Amino acid sequence: MTDDDGQRGVSRRGLLTGAGAAGAGLVVGSIGGLPGASAATAGPRHLARPGAPADSHLFGRIFPSLRPFAEATDQVRAALMEVGAPGGVMDARDDLAAGAKNLIVDPTVNGNPTATDPYGSNPDNPTMTAGSTFVGQFTDHDITFDQTSQLGVPQNPLVSPNTRTPALDLDSVFGGGPAMRPDLYVPNPDGTAGPALKIGTGGVHEDVPRVPNGDGTWTALLGDPRNDENVMVAGLHAGHILFYNRVLADLGRFSLRSFPAARGADLSNSYLRYLIAREITLWHYQWLLVNEHLPQIAGQAIVSDVLARGNRFYRPPARDAFLPIEFGAAAYRFGHSMVRPSYRANFTSGTGDSANPAADPFFGLVFDATLPGFSEPPSYDRDDLLGGYPAPRRYVGWQTFFDLGDGQVKNNKKIDTTISSVMFTIPVPAIAPHTQTSPTVLPQRNLLRQLTWGLPAGQAIARAMGADPLTPADLADIGGVHQPFAVSTPLWYYILAEAKAAADGLNLGPVGGRIVTETLIGLLRADPASYLNASPRFRPFLGTDLTLGPTPNPNITGNRSYTRAHFLHYAGVLTPGTYR
């Protein structure tokens, strides 16, 4: 990687205010969609590296010279809407009427292989746990948030704002620190806030912090509002809050010599304690992304290759990374294919912890369109898993989502072009931002985004990478809707089809896997404070006292010596043998 430090413009740590984001949106709308920015609009850094925006709070491109997969015509938009339509070629047609529990345990409706369907209509992925989906969602919310584009209307990413920092720095949790977001931190008697983060509760277990709106609804206090979209991602957010808060409490109990933020620091200074505890939390989080999450979703071979040989395609300016639109609008949206139609959120439904995993489980559809007020802000304890409301049973029992060796872990779905039917009717509260809430069909929204950003065809990127493109036969379903899509395929759809063709849906294929791996590792390499730069031999040490049960699932991939379960054990949200 070369160092473009002298031409990097605004630092990636620069902050966007609401007014700044809105102002940038006016610029975006006036320029429209271009395959790449001109020197006049992109600034000096673009001259040094095509595809890189003028500064890091804008999106960029990995492949700026490739043309869009299709023109943004009414015919193409209509074809994309048909591809992503309810009941269309991407709909798993899950039997939602069978109920949330049966969609998990009943072989006649759970989508797994049968004698007449050897692949299955919506099969489980034996190599990943159900929690992998929400780790991906949580990570996405840490690094990318487009609040200005219009679905299906061409825009130029190089002048479009990303309102998350393009760094794996958990700004979605820390919000820039106590000075920038004091509402996220515990207030002090002297009027200051922090360093401890606020935590909420629904009456039994942890929840994200919330404030009542006075009308029966609640507003979550979060660095990113999307982390309240469902019970599971809210639970993961709360787990990171509690991990950090425990690190704060334990700072005097372990050696801090390895952490740059702690060198020469006065631990009586609350802001320095925040910096140290944040760094320790970040390094554990980053290590898990490299050693557990990426091997699961992309395969260990490509992760090892990028770690050993460096990035080939996404090479952001040192100290000033940008978020590539090929990742944010296409490749990392692969996780929508992994979503189950339903989950066992916890084991006890708020009745109290038990040694019995069958005590009183809370099974729920992710979204249930039959519920009263489906698209209204939640004002009651719904039977689905939409976030936004505190109640005694709205918390997570983590043994379902990560493997504790007790036989209770469940899998997510395979990565393929089949999407669980619950994702074809999204409640408005789960659509962020709320500036464009139609259509409410998630696959249609994703497909229209391919036009928004003028993304290249999957085949064009495969050829640019030196990979063998998929054949029209591999893409027969989408080609049957609109024949040109079989030879010039929207990138998001292509990446899903590639995963099935190349890896039987177990992980991403060569195009998707490389874009995702190079982006996440590239963000870490561009950040001098990441563990990969500051201490590449770092190993997690908090939560290593977790004792796993006797039957760990041997099919789960990734580093098993330290997993998300260890992280959450240290956070205090799971205990082996206790089901909540």
Side-chain angles (χ1 to χ4, degrees), residues 333-485:
R333 290 178 181 266
F334 79 91
H336 294 152
S337 178
M338 303 195 309
V339 176
R340 303 188 64 90
S342 64
Y343 293 87
R344 178 179 57 190
N346 59 56
F347 299 90
T348 55
S349 297
T351 59
D353 294 354
S354 173
N356 177 14
D360 188 13
F362 174 21
F363 290 94
L365 297 176
V366 177
F367 305 123
D368 185 351
T370 69
L371 293 177
F374 172 68
S375 269
E376 299 298 320
S379 59
Y380 68 100
D381 182 12
R382 298 163 54 123
D383 286 333
D384 66 7
L385 300 176
L386 179 68
Y389 190 82
R393 66 172 177 168
R394 304 192 84 76
Y395 58 87
V396 180
W398 291 108
Q399 285 95 330
T400 289
F401 295 90
F402 301 106
D403 187 14
L404 269 74
D406 59 358
Q408 294 301 318
V409 69
K410 302 298 182 184
N411 301 109
N412 58 15
K413 294 296 184 179
K414 283 189 174 183
I415 307 170
D416 53 32
T417 59
T418 300
I419 309 295
S420 292
S421 296
V422 291
M423 308 306 284
F424 287 79
T425 310
I426 304 295
V428 170
I431 298 175
H434 294 151
T435 54
Q436 188 175 356
T437 56
S438 179
T440 58
V441 178
L442 185 63
Q444 290 178 337
R445 296 178 69 87
N446 284 344
L447 289 164
L448 289 173
R449 289 182 197 279
Q450 313 309 292
L451 279 186
T452 299
W453 301 116
L455 288 172
Q459 293 91 336
I461 292 182
R463 287 189 286 267
M465 286 184 164
D468 292 331
L470 297 182
T471 68
D474 296 320
L475 298 158
D477 284 348
I478 195 170
V481 176
H482 186 61
Q483 191 278 330
F485 289 166

Side-chain angles (χ1 to χ4, degrees), residues 257-329:
R257 289 179 298 176
S258 299
F259 297 96
R263 292 169 189 162
D266 177 4
L267 292 185
S268 67
N269 183 302
S270 65
Y271 183 68
L272 293 180
R273 291 202 308 277
Y274 154 76
L275 292 177
I276 298 166
R278 175 181 172 274
E279 186 168 72
I280 294 170
T281 302
L282 287 180
W283 284 13
H284 281 74
Y285 160 70
Q286 293 168 354
W287 190 94
L288 282 168
L289 288 178
V290 172
N291 294 278
E292 182 186 50
H293 184 56
L294 274 174
Q296 287 183 356
I297 64 175
Q300 185 63 60
I302 195 167
V303 177
S304 297
D305 179 74
V306 173
L307 287 173
R309 301 173 63 185
N311 285 25
R312 294 170 52 199
F313 303 102
Y314 172 62
R315 302 176 64 200
R319 300 177 180 269
D320 196 12
F322 63 91
L323 203 290
I325 206 66
E326 296 92 340
F327 172 94

